Structure formats: structure tokens, C-alpha cells
Amino acid sequence: MINRKSRDEIKRMRHAGHIVALVHQEMKKVVEPGISTKELDNIAMKIIKENKAIPTFLGYAGFPASICTSINEQIVHGIPSENVILKEGDIIAIDVGATYGGMVGDSAWSYAVGEISEDKKRLMRVTEESLMAGIAKMRAGNVLDDISGAIEDVANREKLGIVRRYGGHGVGHSMHEDPFLFNYRVGDKTPIKSGMVIAIEPMLNLGGDDVIVLDDEWTVVTKDGMPSAHFEHTVLATDGDPILMTTLMD
Ligand code: MG
Ligand code: MG
């Protein structure tokens, strides 16, 4: 069942999303060659706790960290480690979740580490564009497939692979609520209504669609080893324009 959030729930979610955005603001500054993904995790955890929120991912299905850090061919769910050091030319997707007042904000962003290749720049630019195209369809009166199709069209235009096993999701009292949102058309005619909140999160690949889960049972990588990018916002549908919940508040 897809629930619609009350005014009070939305207020708390907006605050959770602001805290997630604070983490991303800091990640943007500290991502550089030489830093370990464990250090990134420590910084994120500190910001979340200082803001009286809970790191949503920590302990979720046994996940051992506060953020997911996925580098290059890693798509999602990479585990921070002191042994993983960022190097020039990498791209890193950082996924952040914060729970405030019982409500969750969820947002991922991909970052360049120093100078990156033109191909990686294009991958990141287009994946972000596909997120924005999907968000623009998050309006009462549309259906879920409108969001999925908008993402798919951008990916297809640039001949990028689409990760099909993972996708967006309702979010609120818990991180994963109904509905599941595909990043390509599946014919889902579920109507979008005001008060619905969905984490929209395209994952696009420079190569093919296929993915593998590594032996750590978390890290998802592209089968062909080509780079992948991931962008995600938590988004509220209204009777007018969609509202981004995971940006900084004024
Ligand atoms: Mg996320
Ligand atoms: Mg998510």
C-alpha cells in the first residue's frame, strides 16, 4: 500500500532530508585523492549525529556503516573501509540516509575524484539529467511509468546501460516503502497523488545493464567492469510542482 504523508510527517522528512544534504555538502568538499571511504563514513556519521538524527543505513539488514560508498564499476551498497583510498580519476557514488523524528531522508550523489575522463563526466552528467527528468514527472495526475520512462529515455538517448535489478522506492517511516519504482518502462499505471514521497534513483552504466553482487554480499558491480553513476533525491508529490526533500533548507 502506498501511503500519503501528513503535513507533520512531511515536516519531519524535510528536516531529515536537510541533514542528508548537509552530509552531501561536506562530502563535496572532502572527496579528493588520498581520503579513505572509512574517513568519509566517519564524517557523515558525525554530521548526522550532531543534528540529532540517526544514520538510517547503519545496521539496516546488517549494513555496517552510515553511508554507502561505491567507486567506479561499483554501482551501489559499497562498504566504507580504511583500506579503500580514493585516487585521481575515480568517481564515487555516496548514498546517505538520515532518520529524524522517525522519518527518513535518502539521497545519493556521484562525485569526481580530481580530474576524471570525458566518458565519466558524461556518465555523471547524463545520470543526473535522468534523475531530474524523472523528478519532473513526479506530479499528481501522472503515473509511476511516466517517471520510469523519463529516466529510460535519457539513458537510451546516450546509449547508457540501465541497472534493472535496483530502483527507486517509497520512503517515510522506513527507508523502503511501497511502491518500487523501475528506472525503465514496465507499464506501471499506479497514479501519483499529492502527499506521496518517493526516492527516485537512476543508476546508469557506461557499458551494459548487467550487474553482479560481490562476495561481501553487499557491493553491486557492473558485470562488464565499466563505470556506473548513481543520483538520488527523496521527492514529494504535490498538486503542483514536485518538492525536493533532500536539499538544504533556507
Ligand atoms: Mg539511497
Ligand atoms: Mg534509496
Side-chain angles (χ1 to χ4, degrees):
M1 201 196 78
I2 306 173
N3 57 49
R4 297 161 74 181
K5 273 67 184 179
S6 68
R7 191 181 287 262
D8 176 62
E9 288 169 326
I10 290 166
K11 211 172 148 188
R12 283 180 280 146
M13 285 192 87
R14 186 67 190 86
H15 198 98
H18 169 72
I19 295 165
V20 169
L22 285 174
V23 173
H24 278 296
Q25 179 178 248
E26 190 62 22
M27 294 293 113
K28 192 177 176 184
K29 289 182 200 157
V30 299
V31 163
E32 60 179 4
I35 195 166
S36 75
T37 52
K38 180 65 187 167
E39 288 172 89
L40 297 177
D41 185 49
N42 289 342
I43 293 165
M45 162 103 83
K46 186 161 176 277
I47 294 169
I48 292 168
K49 290 192 167 168
E50 276 173 0
N51 285 279
K52 300 182 172 44
I54 297 164
T56 314
F57 299 173
L58 185 62
Y60 186 90
F63 191 77
S66 296
I67 57 174
C68 300
T69 49
S70 308
I71 299 171
N72 297 330
E73 79 283 1
Q74 298 176 352
I75 301 164
V76 284
H77 306 161
I79 301 172
S81 163
E82 57 197 11
N83 300 319
V84 176
I85 312 290
L86 299 186
K87 54 183 197 311
E88 184 90 15
D90 286 342
I91 56 172
I92 179 171
I94 300 177
D95 200 343
V96 182
T99 306
Y100 178 85
M103 304 302 289
V104 176
D106 182 13
S107 170
W109 218 253
S110 293
Y111 299 93
V113 184
E115 262 310 303
I116 60 170
S117 69
E118 289 303 316
D119 267 352
K120 282 178 169 172
K121 282 182 192 166
R122 183 174 68 93
L123 172 67
M124 295 211 319
R125 188 179 66 239
V126 175
T127 307
E128 184 177 351
E129 182 190 339
S130 76
L131 168 63
M132 295 308 166
I135 289 170
K137 299 292 182 183
M138 179 78 177
R139 307 178 77 90
N142 285 349
V143 297
L144 289 182
D145 224 37
D146 292 324
I147 303 174
S148 304
I151 292 168
E152 180 179 23
D153 287 345
V154 173
N156 286 349
R157 188 195 74 210
E158 297 283 333
K159 300 194 168 39
L160 295 178
I162 300 173
V163 174
R164 290 167 194 269
R165 253 170 73 178
Y166 303 88
H169 51 90
V171 52
H173 290 276
S174 59
M175 183 161 55
H176 293 118
E177 298 184 350
D178 288 341
F180 183 80
L181 175 69
F182 290 86
N183 287 320
Y184 56 98
R185 285 182 188 80
V186 291
D188 190 336
K189 300 300 182 200
T190 303
I192 297 166
K193 296 177 180 169
S194 66
M196 284 184 182
V197 183
I198 296 179
I200 302 175
E201 51 178 315
M203 289 148 262
L204 302 182
N205 306 335
L206 261 185
D209 297 351
D210 292 348
V211 310
I212 302 172
V213 180
L214 297 185
D215 287 341
D216 64 15
E217 295 182 352
W218 280 107
T219 313
V220 183
V221 300
T222 57
K223 194 174 177 188
D224 57 17
M226 295 285 276
S228 183
H230 181 205
F231 288 84
E232 172 184 37
H233 268 307
T234 296
V235 186
L236 168 69
T238 71
D239 289 321
D241 291 334
I243 294 175
L244 298 181
M245 305 289 271
T246 35
T247 56
L248 294 174
M249 288 191 291
D250 297 331

